[in-house]
Amino acid sequence: MLTYAARQVVKEPQNIQSWIVCDGDIDPEWIESLNSVLDDNRLLTMPSGERIQFGPNVNFVFETHDLSCASPATISRMGMIFLRSLLPQLYSSVLVIVIICQLRNIV
């Protein structure tokens, strides 16, 4: 699924902002392969050797309940937003996207 989304967003023109949203637990194997995407290289290398280069118009959002499997290298590449579990699910998802957009001066 991530590979499909990656291939689709790199086809978009640079003036189109694209967001890849990953919802669920952070798996140590796949998140480590995303470290080079999250740093300045913005390059995803697939197990097959295929490389997908992301432009500055592609953003990632990770929504998870637990970071226990994420390495310090991964966490240091991300901005973190903590939301209390008291917020309704829909409201918290919209709030995260709005905050990230504001941080990137999109809205």
Side-chain angles (χ1 to χ4, degrees), residues 1-11 20 33-34 36-37 41-55 58 60:
M1 189 63 130
L2 178 62
T3 306
Y4 175 79
R7 288 183 183 130
Q8 295 303 309
V9 299
V10 297
K11 294 177 185 176
I20 296 178
S33 67
L34 287 178
S36 64
V37 173
N41 295 326
R42 302 183 63 83
L43 180 69
L44 176 63
T45 303
M46 306 305 296
S48 66
E50 175 188 2
R51 293 174 170 228
I52 300 172
Q53 182 71 56
F54 294 101
V58 180
F60 286 80

Side-chain angles (χ1 to χ4, degrees), residues 1-100:
M1 189 63 130
L2 178 62
T3 306
Y4 175 79
R7 288 183 183 130
Q8 295 303 309
V9 299
V10 297
K11 294 177 185 176
E12 295 291 334
Q14 291 288 315
N15 62 336
I16 302 293
Q17 289 293 319
S18 298
W19 295 83
I20 296 178
V21 179
C22 301
D23 184 15
D25 294 335
I26 292 181
D27 180 85
E29 289 182 29
W30 67 260
I31 197 66
E32 288 301 318
S33 67
L34 287 178
N35 280 345
S36 64
V37 173
L38 301 174
D39 65 18
D40 291 338
N41 295 326
R42 302 183 63 83
L43 180 69
L44 176 63
T45 303
M46 306 305 296
S48 66
E50 175 188 2
R51 293 174 170 228
I52 300 172
Q53 182 71 56
F54 294 101
N57 63 319
V58 180
N59 302 285
F60 286 80
V61 175
F62 298 91
E63 191 284 322
T64 185
H65 293 90
D66 187 355
L67 291 173
S68 63
C69 293
S71 71
T74 300
I75 292 174
S76 70
R77 288 171 167 86
M78 296 182 180
M80 298 290 167
I81 300 171
F82 174 75
L83 298 173
R84 295 173 126 174
S85 61
L86 301 175
L87 295 174
Q89 186 67 23
L90 177 62
Y91 176 73
S92 64
S93 297
V94 170
L95 182 62
V96 168
I97 292 172
V98 168
I99 290 171
I100 291 172

